[in-house]
């Protein structure tokens, strides 16, 4: 039974709050309930002050008139017009005020203040001003000119101010909620783009090197006297690279969704893994010359991964667009910046417009450089396709020459 009651309460709460959200407000259910309870209780106390329950007077129905618009609002998904709420409360309280009371202070006018606060919060400041004027009119017509009239009018003004603050707060909460949703959407998009860049780099690199090995095996087998052992070795290398690429793709996707609570056995590559990357390309037959100075371990994991991927993408593009041409890699990590240059000689027919379209690979490199706060230059220069990268590194690293 209690579970059913709880489910019903949740559905009712969702109905009330979704109705307010449809009007561009975040109006929590407890504020709506509090306003209804306080307004009705003030009317009820006003009836008690007049002894209507002891006399069996019809005045006991006045609190029900005050409560009616709130019950209607809570039982429907349509927003009750503000004037209906004000009219019902005004009629009920005016009815109560026609009877003399006991005691120096009348509690019934407080219901008007609560009603003004409610309609101001839900329907705006102009409606709140109308509610204050209506309250003042009812008080003037129903009560004698005494100090109590001033006090009751001030109650309505306080209700207006409270409603205005509630409305401002609700709109601020809704704006904050919308901003968080936008941030969440941007974060999700950035994560998807990051995954896409990682997968693009992995697939492009592995396919390029695999195709080099397969091409070598085909050329060997096409000779009049083929060396089968060399062809098999090339095909084995292609198979190995394909398997390693699949494992790295799985590891990359897993790491991108990793929450950091568990240790990671196989981290993503960093700049210190560049020698192995270059050696893999050289083993596949790419004519590479490498000059490296300094220690790349000064780069953190994110910057190191970015440098690794940019070098990987640059050599892959050279293999794809200028196969068989010389590729030169220069790395200088001896200063305050890590500087990387990858250049390859372009075929004469490719010099004009080579890479000018700015494909996904170039856009991916630009995005990585931006994340590292690095400077990236990509373009044709004197018959060479040149990729230059400057990354803020660690000053004072002792140079170590490796060639």
């Amino acid at each position: 039974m209690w579970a059913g009651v709880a489910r019903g309460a949740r559905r009712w709460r969702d109905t009330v709050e979704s109705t307010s959200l449809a009007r561009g407000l975040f109006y929590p259910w407890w504020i709506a309930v509090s306003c209804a309870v306080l307004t009705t209780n003030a009317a009820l106390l006003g009836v008690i002050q007049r002894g209507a329950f002891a006399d069996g007077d019809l005045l006991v129905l006045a609190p029900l008139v005050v409560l009616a618009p709130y019950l209607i609002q809570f039982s429907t998904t349509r927003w009750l017009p503000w004037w209906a709420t004000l009219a019902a409360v005004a009629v009920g309280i005016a009815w109560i005020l026609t009877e003399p009371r006991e005691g120096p202070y009348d509690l019934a006018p407080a219901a008007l203040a609560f009603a003004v606060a409610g309609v101001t919060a839900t329907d705006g400041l102009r409606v709140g001003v109308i509610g204050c004027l209506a309250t003042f009119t009812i008080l003037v017509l129903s009560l004698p000119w005494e100090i109590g009239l001033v006090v009751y009018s001030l109650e309505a003004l306080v209700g207006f101010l409270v409603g205005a603050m509630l409305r401002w707060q609700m709109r601020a909460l809704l704006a904050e909620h919308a901003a968080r949703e936008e941030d969440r959407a941007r974060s999700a998009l950035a994560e998807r783009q990051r995954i896409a860049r990682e997968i693009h780099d992995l697939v492009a690199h592995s396919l390029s090197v695999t195709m080099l090995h397969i091409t070598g095996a085909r050329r060997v087998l096409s000779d009049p006297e083929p060396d089968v052992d060399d062809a098999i070795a090339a095909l084995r290398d292609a198979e190995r690279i394909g398997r390693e690429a699949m494992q790295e793709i799985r590891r990359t996707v897993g790491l991108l969704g990793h929450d950091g609570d568990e240790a990671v056995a196989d981290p993503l590559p960093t700049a210190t893994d560049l020698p192995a990357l270059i050696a893999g390309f050289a083993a596949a037959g790419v004519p590479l010359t490498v000059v490296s100075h300094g220690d790349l371990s000064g780069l953190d994991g994110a910057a190191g991964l970015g440098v690794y991927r940019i070098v990987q993408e640059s050599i892959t593009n050279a293999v794809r667009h200028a196969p068989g041409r010389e590729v030169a890699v220069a790395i200088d990590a001896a200063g305050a910046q890590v500087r990387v240059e990858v250049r390859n000689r372009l075929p004469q027919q490719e010099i004009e417009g080579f890479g000018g379209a700015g494909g996904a690979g170039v856009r991916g490199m630009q995005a990585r450089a931006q994340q590292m706060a690095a400077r990236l230059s990509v373009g044709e220069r004197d018959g060479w396709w040149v990729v230059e990268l400057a990354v803020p590194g660690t000053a004072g690293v002792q140079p170590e020459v490796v060639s």
Side-chain angles (χ1 to χ4, degrees), residues 303-317:
L305 174 62
V307 171
Y308 181 96
R309 292 301 189 206
I310 288 175
V311 173
Q312 182 185 59
E313 178 67 19
S314 300
I315 301 176
T316 300
N317 285 340

Side-chain angles (χ1 to χ4, degrees), residues 175-302:
E176 181 181 1
H177 179 74
R180 288 183 178 180
E181 289 297 325
E182 291 178 0
D183 289 342
R184 188 177 295 109
R186 283 194 295 267
S187 298
L189 177 60
E191 187 67 10
R192 288 196 297 270
Q193 292 174 339
R194 181 185 175 192
I195 293 174
R197 286 195 301 269
E198 294 293 338
I199 300 302
H200 170 273
D201 292 346
L202 288 172
V203 172
H205 164 253
S206 61
L207 284 180
S208 296
V209 178
T210 300
M211 290 305 299
L212 287 172
H213 285 292
I214 294 175
T215 300
R218 179 183 58 79
R219 289 176 177 174
V220 170
L221 293 175
S222 64
D223 289 341
E225 296 181 359
D227 188 338
V228 178
D229 291 337
D230 286 347
I232 291 176
L235 292 175
R236 283 176 177 169
D237 286 338
E239 181 183 10
R240 174 182 56 80
I241 291 171
R243 294 183 183 277
E244 290 176 354
M246 289 300 298
Q247 293 175 356
E248 192 169 357
I249 288 172
R250 294 191 187 99
R251 185 172 68 247
T252 300
V253 174
L255 285 175
L256 290 175
H258 187 65
D259 58 7
D261 294 335
E262 299 177 359
V264 180
D266 298 318
L268 289 170
T270 65
T272 56
D273 296 310
L274 282 175
L277 172 71
I278 295 172
F281 277 108
V286 179
L288 275 164
T289 60
V290 182
V291 178
S292 179
H293 299 276
D295 185 3
L296 291 170
S297 62
L299 292 173
D300 59 26

Side-chain angles (χ1 to χ4, degrees), residues 85-389:
T85 301
L86 278 182
V89 175
V91 169
I93 299 304
W95 185 7
I96 295 173
L97 294 179
T98 58
E99 300 291 335
R101 71 179 186 276
E102 296 178 1
Y105 183 77
D106 198 342
L107 297 175
L112 294 170
F114 294 132
V116 168
V119 296
T120 303
T122 57
D123 292 275
L125 302 183
R126 293 182 180 179
V127 172
V129 171
I130 295 173
C132 285
L133 294 176
T135 297
F136 182 73
T137 301
I138 293 172
L139 294 176
V140 169
L141 295 177
S142 304
L143 298 176
W145 287 89
E146 56 183 20
I147 189 63
L149 180 61
V150 177
V151 174
Y152 304 144
S153 299
L154 289 176
E155 284 180 353
L157 180 59
V158 170
F160 169 77
L161 295 176
V162 170
M165 289 187 290
L166 281 174
R167 184 175 180 83
W168 178 86
Q169 185 181 34
M170 288 187 294
R171 296 177 76 89
L173 287 173
L174 193 62
E176 181 181 1
H177 179 74
R180 288 183 178 180
E181 289 297 325
E182 291 178 0
D183 289 342
R184 188 177 295 109
R186 283 194 295 267
S187 298
L189 177 60
E191 187 67 10
R192 288 196 297 270
Q193 292 174 339
R194 181 185 175 192
I195 293 174
R197 286 195 301 269
E198 294 293 338
I199 300 302
H200 170 273
D201 292 346
L202 288 172
V203 172
H205 164 253
S206 61
L207 284 180
S208 296
V209 178
T210 300
M211 290 305 299
L212 287 172
H213 285 292
I214 294 175
T215 300
R218 179 183 58 79
R219 289 176 177 174
V220 170
L221 293 175
S222 64
D223 289 341
E225 296 181 359
D227 188 338
V228 178
D229 291 337
D230 286 347
I232 291 176
L235 292 175
R236 283 176 177 169
D237 286 338
E239 181 183 10
R240 174 182 56 80
I241 291 171
R243 294 183 183 277
E244 290 176 354
M246 289 300 298
Q247 293 175 356
E248 192 169 357
I249 288 172
R250 294 191 187 99
R251 185 172 68 247
T252 300
V253 174
L255 285 175
L256 290 175
H258 187 65
D259 58 7
D261 294 335
E262 299 177 359
V264 180
D266 298 318
L268 289 170
T270 65
T272 56
D273 296 310
L274 282 175
L277 172 71
I278 295 172
F281 277 108
V286 179
L288 275 164
T289 60
V290 182
V291 178
S292 179
H293 299 276
D295 185 3
L296 291 170
S297 62
L299 292 173
D300 59 26
L305 174 62
V307 171
Y308 181 96
R309 292 301 189 206
I310 288 175
V311 173
Q312 182 185 59
E313 178 67 19
S314 300
I315 301 176
T316 300
N317 285 340
V319 172
R320 183 186 305 120
H321 296 287
R325 299 281 176 156
E326 177 186 359
V327 180
V329 180
I331 302 173
D332 184 3
Q337 285 186 329
V338 174
R339 305 183 67 87
V340 179
E341 180 184 274
V342 181
R343 59 169 57 208
N344 62 279
R345 174 72 70 178
L346 292 176
Q348 187 63 36
Q349 64 273 19
E350 294 281 356
I351 291 179
E352 292 187 3
F354 179 77
V362 174
R363 290 195 298 270
M365 289 192 291
Q366 291 170 341
R368 290 185 185 279
Q370 185 177 8
Q371 290 176 347
M372 296 185 292
R375 296 194 307 274
L376 178 70
S377 174
V378 181
E380 186 270 335
R381 187 184 305 166
D382 299 329
W384 291 77
W385 185 254
V386 182
V387 177
E388 289 183 324
L389 177 70

